[in-house]
Amino acid sequence: MAVVRVLLWHVHGSWTTAFVQGGHEYLVPVLPGRPADGRGRARTWDWPASVHELTPDGLRRAFDEGGVDAVLLQRPHEARLLRAWTGRRAGHDVPAVYLEHDAPGGPAAATRHPMADADVVAGGRVPVVHVTGFNALMWDTGRARTVVIDHGVPDPGPRWTGERAHVAAVVNEPVRRWRAAGTDVLLHVASRVPAEVYGMGTEHLAEHLGTRGPTAAATAGRLYDLPQAALHDRLAGARAYLHPYRWTSLGLALLEAMALGLPVLALPVTEAYAAVPPSAGVLSTDPDELAAVARRWLADPAEAAAYGKAAREHVLTRYPLDVFLDRWTTLLDQEVSAWARA
């Protein structure tokens, strides 16, 4: 396997953690203060030594010395950053792939992808990679060449203990993303069973929980923003996992919880049907049913354990890390080879 030197921005920590296990060399931009366009190496995930931080000047030197083989774009403006920092144009001067993490928003079935009309994308020189088949179906990418590479999940080990009779959820920015994140569904369940909530911005939930009765109010004392390793350790002690999202790409937090061995409660939307088979949990459009199943599992740890065991087996079979890495290696090799022949 040829080692590919890939430039990518640190955008999505969990996805990147899986991607950088692939045996290549990974260059991530870093800027003073580590803002969104220059976060550098992760500080809350475990990344290998093959991930190197480079400033914009360092990136330009790397390109000038032939030290970059391909660029992985994840946001439309990254092509502009690439040109401003290095003088190179994605898809013109260097092989490039555009990775889309999200399902479209707004009028979903008619939403035009921001890269659909870019000349090198519409011309087929830069493929758009989707992380789920649902996302590929819903985005209008015009004449762009599209590829689906499902998530791969690093195995955290079978850590579930279920010692706490709580339902856990991981939701970033639950107040700002209220409807899409299903925060109202989360509050509904939390008003009926003990819950704990993890993620960025969860502290803003406290005032909403206080209006939902004593059970929900108690959840206000169980709001956490933890790094991934600590999050996994903490989640493993919860009895079950709630995935309340109405509209999302397939959340890696859901797959990671399943890999830990947690049984799942979720809405039957987007890609949930593929991620959560009947043996691994319960999908329902009725929040009352989700709460009722949660109460049953809190009262019956053995049943919860059986669902959780099936959840872990399914996610490691359906989203294996080695297949994910092999598919990305194949795509990168194809793009670099095609570029060399052109």
Side-chain angles (χ1 to χ4, degrees), residues 59-106:
L59 285 173
R60 180 181 286 273
R61 287 194 297 272
F63 272 98
D64 290 345
E65 295 167 3
V68 182
D69 296 314
V71 178
L72 175 62
L73 304 172
Q74 300 169 78
R75 299 167 297 173
H77 74 278
E78 290 174 357
R80 296 192 297 274
L81 290 176
L82 176 70
R83 189 165 188 181
W85 291 353
T86 73
R88 270 70 175 184
R89 297 171 299 164
H92 288 285
D93 305 315
V94 60
V97 172
Y98 189 95
L99 171 64
E100 177 56 65
H101 288 282
D102 298 322

Side-chain angles (χ1 to χ4, degrees), residues 3 31 67 72 78 80-81 124 148-149 156 180 207 240 243 272 325 333 340:
V3 174
L31 294 170
L72 175 62
E78 290 174 357
R80 296 192 297 274
L81 290 176
V148 176
I149 299 182
E207 61 183 277
H243 187 65
L325 295 173
D333 283 345

Side-chain angles (χ1 to χ4, degrees), residues 284-306:
S284 176
T285 56
D286 183 355
D288 283 334
E289 182 179 1
L290 297 178
V293 175
R295 281 195 298 270
R296 194 175 79 219
W297 287 349
L298 298 191
D300 189 347
E303 181 183 355

Side-chain angles (χ1 to χ4, degrees), residues 203-273:
E203 68 276 8
H204 301 305
L205 264 184
E207 61 183 277
H208 299 280
L209 288 161
T211 66
R212 297 289 179 127
T215 303
T219 301
R222 298 190 290 267
L223 304 176
Y224 311 96
D225 183 0
L226 301 175
Q228 188 186 46
L231 173 62
H232 286 175
D233 286 339
R234 183 70 184 171
L235 280 179
R239 188 67 50 82
Y241 186 81
L242 172 65
H243 187 65
Y245 289 81
R246 278 188 179 85
W247 187 256
T248 181
S249 186
L250 180 56
L252 274 167
L254 167 65
L255 302 184
E256 290 167 356
M258 294 173 69
L260 291 167
L262 276 78
V264 174
L265 301 163
L267 305 180
V269 294
T270 64
E271 195 86 357
Y273 76 94

Side-chain angles (χ1 to χ4, degrees), residues 4-63:
V4 179
R5 293 159 297 187
V6 187
L7 164 63
L8 74 155
W9 276 260
H10 174 185
V11 174
H12 190 307
S14 289
W15 184 90
T16 309
T17 297
F19 181 71
V20 298
Q21 310 301 316
H24 301 290
E25 294 289 324
Y26 308 93
L27 311 177
V28 292
V30 64
L31 294 170
R34 297 180 181 270
D37 287 335
R39 289 185 175 133
R41 284 179 56 92
R43 289 174 288 177
T44 56
W45 281 271
D46 185 15
W47 286 5
S50 55
V51 183
H52 308 285
E53 293 182 343
L54 287 177
T55 65
D57 286 343
L59 285 173
R60 180 181 286 273
R61 287 194 297 272
F63 272 98

